[in-house]
Amino acid sequence: MNIKLSNILRNFSYTLVANFLSMIISIVLILIVPKFISAIDYGYWQLYIFYSSYTAYMSFGLTDGIYLRYGGKEYSNLNKPVFVSQFWLLVLFNILVYFIIIISYINNAVDYNKIIVVLLACISGILVVPRSLLNFTLQATNRIKEYSLIILIERLSYFILVILFLTFGLDNFEHLIISDIAGKSLSILYAFYVSKELVIGKMPKIYITLNEIKTNISVGSKLLIANLASLLIIGIVRFFIERNWGVETFGKISLTLSISNMLMIFINAVSIVLFPTLRRTSRESLAKIYKTMSTILMVILFGLLILYYPAEIILSNWLPHYTESLIYLGLLFPMCIFESKTSMLINTYLKTLRKENMMLIFNLITVCLSFLVTIITIYILNDLNLTILSIVALLAFRSIISELYVSKILNINLIRNNLFDIFLTMAFISITWFFNFPLGFILYLICYTIYLLIKSKEIANIIRGFKIFSKGNI
């Protein structure tokens, strides 16, 4: 086995373990928390997770720029003093920004519980944004082991505290949020330890730091806005669901989204390792790798959709109070197909090819479409079913137009593959909506078998592609 493949597999093993444990923790929390807390408390907890997912974007592209500029570099060769000054300026900036947000919200809010949610989400942001500078630097310089441990410490601490609180009957949403913040705090301490040269040390002259910040923001702002727009595609729909149908319905739909998104934890593990590796890969080999990985990914993901029926049966019996929302699981389950492809393959390739501007354009187009569709389905039609179905449609639209662009750059034809993906997704949604187990299970299994037969030649090429990869011909 060549050294390059050995390093990739070793790094992947670190992220695999960390993200696999994170996925197990997420599954357990998804199953346990709604069982022991009220639907309204679960709604506020999900609202905190929703808000805190946006606080991480208060770096204004600084950390994203570091990730792009230093991707593939060696950690030992970094100009550490420049990172130290950027880190502490980012800390001070975020304290100021979130203080203003908290004061502004308190002066205008009427829901006391939402005030608590916003306050704690801002505290989370103060912790997460500076840590992202360290995380991105570790990822970019291929220190995947340390990055994985940071994530693992956060998730394990969070999980243990949630279980302890629930065990002692502390079952309100505030304690769940405190558990999350405590986990983030402990992970930051470890991040400080493994990258202390980026936190403590002599700082350069201010003009050097400002020039570096300007460059990083200039490079990273497009990626940050692209990622933020990506989050808004679903975020806009979720925001208006909460506004129109309330916190409790928001929580129930969020539970279904969380179940559908569990596979993304594993997919993100792959993309973390893939980016610095592709940055070191020749342009000629990128097309071969893309086609091979796309085939592997889609065959696996469509196969995993079979898990819907046992999951729906188990969850309906375990969480009877959420049976009403679990009927939407069949509509949302396929979202992992398009989100996974976009996150792991398409966006990773766009970043590798330094086409962040196109990623931004595709995401902004889809955000505008999301806003338009949401207004129609919620405020004109007032139809929750169509609103939820629109999430999958929007993610599919963004994935397809982005992949068509990547395929044009790589000079490969993927239109046929996209048509098969759309057909099988529509078949799955239709079958799960109209047919229960076991007939629905059998019908989808037949469709998936036909899909495998059609893709048999591409599946056969996977073995050839892996042989090329293992010999180091990339």
Side-chain angles (χ1 to χ4, degrees), residues 62-116:
L62 173 62
T63 56
D64 302 85
I66 289 173
Y67 181 65
L68 291 171
R69 290 182 63 213
Y70 294 94
K73 304 290 185 182
E74 295 295 331
Y75 182 83
S76 58
N77 295 332
L78 297 179
N79 183 6
K80 307 298 195 307
V82 172
F83 285 83
V84 174
S85 55
Q86 288 181 98
F87 177 84
W88 288 110
L89 282 176
L90 194 57
V91 170
L92 293 174
F93 175 76
N94 273 267
I95 290 174
L96 176 62
V97 168
Y98 287 119
F99 177 77
I100 294 172
I101 291 174
I102 290 168
I103 295 301
S104 301
Y105 191 84
I106 289 174
N107 290 334
N108 295 285
V110 293
D111 186 330
Y112 175 74
N113 287 333
K114 281 190 179 180
I115 292 175
I116 294 175

Side-chain angles (χ1 to χ4, degrees), residues 206-271:
I206 188 65
Y207 75 88
I208 296 176
T209 300
L210 292 177
N211 283 336
E212 180 73 8
I213 290 174
K214 180 182 177 182
T215 303
N216 286 330
I217 291 178
S218 175
V219 171
S221 57
K222 291 178 182 178
L223 179 58
L224 177 133
I225 298 171
N227 289 333
L228 178 59
S230 177
L231 198 62
L232 283 171
I233 293 169
I234 299 178
I236 288 172
V237 182
R238 295 180 67 191
F239 176 81
F240 283 109
I241 285 175
E242 190 271 328
R243 289 279 172 166
N244 195 58
W245 286 290
V247 172
E248 189 170 338
T249 299
F250 174 85
K252 290 179 177 180
I253 299 302
S254 296
L255 172 64
T256 310
L257 282 167
S258 298
I259 296 168
S260 302
N261 263 328
M262 284 189 297
L263 285 175
M264 288 303 300
I265 299 172
F266 175 81
I267 295 302
N268 287 334
V270 179
S271 62

Side-chain angles (χ1 to χ4, degrees), residues 54 142 189 242 279 371-372 417:
Y54 289 94
N142 225 21
L189 293 177
E242 190 271 328
R279 284 295 296 270
F371 183 80
L372 177 62
N417 290 347

Side-chain angles (χ1 to χ4, degrees), residues 103-161:
I103 295 301
S104 301
Y105 191 84
I106 289 174
N107 290 334
N108 295 285
V110 293
D111 186 330
Y112 175 74
N113 287 333
K114 281 190 179 180
I115 292 175
I116 294 175
V117 167
V118 171
L119 173 63
L120 294 175
C122 287
I123 292 174
S124 172
I126 292 172
L127 297 172
V128 168
V129 176
R131 188 189 67 177
S132 69
L133 185 147
L134 306 179
N135 281 351
F136 279 157
T137 305
L138 292 173
Q139 287 180 48
T141 55
N142 225 21
R143 292 184 65 185
I144 303 299
K145 178 181 178 181
E146 290 84 354
Y147 166 78
S148 300
L149 284 172
I150 292 170
I151 301 302
L152 190 57
I153 289 170
E154 176 188 338
R155 298 299 294 170
L156 278 175
S157 303
Y158 172 48
F159 174 73
I160 292 169
L161 286 172

Side-chain angles (χ1 to χ4, degrees), residues 18 42 50 62 69 112 115 152 159 182 198 208 237 241 252 262 295 298 304 311 322 358 381 397 424 456 459-460 470:
Y42 187 81
F50 178 61
L62 173 62
R69 290 182 63 213
Y112 175 74
I115 292 175
L152 190 57
F159 174 73
L198 307 180
I208 296 176
V237 182
I241 285 175
K252 290 179 177 180
M262 284 189 297
T295 301
M298 301 312 286
L304 289 174
Y322 289 85
M358 293 308 300
L381 301 177
F397 171 79
L424 194 53
S456 58
I459 295 171
S470 62

